[in-house]
Amino acid sequence: MSKNMSVYFFGVLLASVASCSAPVTSPNVMPTTSSPSPSPAATPSAAMKPHQEACLHMSSGPQKDVEAALLSSGAPVIAADHHRYDVTLKAQGDRFGGTVVFNNPTAGDVRFYLGFAGPISPDTKLTLTQAGKPLAFESVDTEHVHEECSDIKVLYVAEVGVGPVEINMAGFQENVARLVLEGGSGEDGHADDHEEDHGHDHE
């Protein structure tokens, strides 16, 4: 065998070895990336107490925007559906107020968590009316619940029957009120433990 022929076969051998050692790739295979898991703090836990869950919704939502009506007719409907409702209030003289409606699906205690900008004022009021009659609050807490969650200014607890309830707000210094509703033994599935809350009796 000539010297030139030996060089030729040696070159072919090197090329064959290089092709066998190269990695095999497929043009149709795309790189995969794992989606980040949602933060546990972003969703309510079944082990949460009502105050904790309400605080989560009050501070982080999810939220829905509604515009209060001056009368119950035409008032927007809100729900105890794990949302914060940002209610735009109507001008009433030099203050703000308005009405929204809650369709209560199950008779029992309902917690009305109220948040708003500015300090708590004696003029700031929330009242409930059902079937044309005012509902009395079992407790009104302006201290302990606010200490636990600074975004909540007042917690109202009332025993509410099945059907629409008018939530009337008046005397607000700002034109937006924030509401989170938690059912006592209704659709939220929380136990009826309002007597364990550090509320204040409202006469």
Side-chain angles (χ1 to χ4, degrees), residues 116-124 141-143 146 152-154 173:
F116 50 86
I120 298 175
S121 168
D123 298 328
T124 303
D141 181 1
T142 60
E143 296 179 7
H146 184 60
I152 299 173
K153 293 296 180 66
V154 190
Q173 298 180 20

Side-chain angles (χ1 to χ4, degrees), residues 41-63:
T43 54
S45 166
M48 279 186 174
K49 292 184 178 181
H51 287 356
Q52 295 172 321
E53 185 172 334
C55 187
L56 174 66
H57 295 317
M58 190 68 80
S59 62
S60 304
Q63 55 89 210

Side-chain angles (χ1 to χ4, degrees), residues 22-32:
V24 178
T25 59
S26 173
N28 296 325
V29 177
M30 299 296 291
T32 58

Side-chain angles (χ1 to χ4, degrees), residues 130-179:
Q130 187 170 40
K133 298 179 180 180
L135 295 180
F137 292 115
E138 297 181 355
S139 65
V140 178
D141 181 1
T142 60
E143 296 179 7
H144 293 88
V145 69
H146 184 60
E147 292 173 358
E148 294 180 24
C149 181
S150 59
D151 291 315
I152 299 173
K153 293 296 180 66
V154 190
L155 164 61
Y156 302 86
V157 180
E159 185 175 354
V160 180
V162 176
V165 182
E166 298 173 19
I167 305 173
N168 309 295
M169 293 165 281
F172 284 72
Q173 298 180 20
E174 303 290 337
N175 70 334
V176 175
R178 298 175 178 85
L179 281 171

Side-chain angles (χ1 to χ4, degrees), residues 8 11-12 28 41 50 62 66 68 79-80 108 121 133 183 190 194 198:
Y8 170 76
V12 171
N28 296 325
V66 297
S121 168
K133 298 179 180 180
H190 294 305
H194 74 275
H198 299 289

